[in-house]
Amino acid sequence: MILPLVDTLKQLRYQIAHLEDDTLGHEYPELEKFLARQGKSLPVHSELQFLFQFLYVYGRKSEATFNRFRNELERFYLWSWMVAEKSVFELKREDIEAYVDFVVEPDNAWTQTSVQWRYKQNQGIRQVNENWRPFVLKENGASQQTLAAMFTALNVFYKFAILEEKSFANFVPVVKKNSPYLVVQSQINLPDTLSDLQWEYVFGVTRDLSEQQPDLERNLFVLACLKGLYLRISELSDRPHWSPVMSHFWQDQDDFWYLRIMGKGNKLRDVTLSEDFISYLKRYRQYRGLSALPRVDEPYPIVHKLRGQGGMNVRQLRRIVQQSFDLAVAKLKEDGFTEESEQLEAATSHWLRHTGATHDAQHRPLKHLSEDLGHAKIATTDQIYIQTNIKERAKSGLKRKI
């Protein structure tokens, strides 16, 4: 049976302590038995301890980063032990190549049709989900994004292992360079965005229905934040080291308003607020029974729960956005916009960030847009959102003769 090696970020410190104290079987009896079977010929306990150490160093800043590295390295460890039957620090170039082949076409016993939970609490024991598998089956196989994430995780892991003197070589870069599965990107790659009509329906339908359903005011405000401020949904959510509250809105001496955000890598940035956004901020605060504009000492969460205390997590915020998407899809179908409604069914909350930035890239200075987006490099903003040269190239080629 294939078992998950790593639990949640919250449980990581307990797993580390159990390995150090040789008490893993007290809380993870199934995992301890699994390690005992694999450990007959391999140093699995010390290697798992190193994986925990790596995840603690690289993943504790962000749960999303932790999950990404955990998923990639956990399946790599399992493959190394169970398929290659080697220590992860004994793998050579040809072994890494074999693993890439396996990721592209994993064994059926290693796949599941949907994402499954790993462990759940049961009378003090972390019980394994028997339906969990390392890979989620995809119709079109491993995507370029999947392969890129795999190579990144393995490369960072082996660099760390070399620094910690656990490994003497990193074969990942040469395997990546010569991989037959990676495609060199040279085509036009536009970000996923909503069309003007789709956004009009998503925002407009939610706004109209909020008159009969006042709780939709919260949906309306979340949509305004994600598109109007180019926020990632995680930046609106409660996280272990950051809780977005109303006092994070602030005004400078010239009466310009900003929102202080904790972005990727625990980097703070101040996003500028437009006059239009401020009007929806006032509307939302009025719905919550607050003053028109935030004060410097307000502890209230920016996006509140209807029941309970505190702010909302990422999953809850996604449900809010999806509710507005679903309302818009139904209305588009009703009005005869079948193609637009079908396209909207594939949209995610992140499309709103792309939609706002793509629209504003046409009239805002690139540096200003980049700073509000929280990009470390202005070239990133240019590459993703500035389509001027592409459009001009298309126009200049439009009248070519055959």
Side-chain angles (χ1 to χ4, degrees), residues 78-90:
L78 289 169
W79 177 88
S80 180
W81 293 347
M82 301 178 69
V83 179
E85 297 182 345
K86 293 181 179 180
S87 159
V88 293
F89 302 120
E90 293 177 352

Side-chain angles (χ1 to χ4, degrees), residues 37 88 90 205-207 217 221:
R37 290 195 298 271
V88 293
E90 293 177 352
V205 170
T206 299
R207 183 179 54 211
E217 289 289 345
F221 180 69

Side-chain angles (χ1 to χ4, degrees), residues 265-287:
N266 288 357
K267 294 179 181 177
L268 287 173
R269 73 179 189 277
D270 293 305
V271 181
T272 58
L273 307 190
S274 67
E275 293 176 346
D276 199 30
F277 177 84
I278 291 174
S279 69
Y280 282 100
L281 172 62
K282 290 178 178 178
R283 174 173 171 158
Y284 174 61
R285 288 177 58 82
Q286 182 181 17
Y287 151 72

Side-chain angles (χ1 to χ4, degrees), residues 196 230 355-366 369 385-388 391:
D196 290 342
Y230 329 127
T355 300
T358 300
H359 177 267
D360 290 351
Q362 301 174 32
H363 55 81
R364 289 196 71 188
L366 183 59
L369 180 64
Y385 298 111
I386 304 301
Q387 307 299 333
T388 305
K391 303 297 184 186

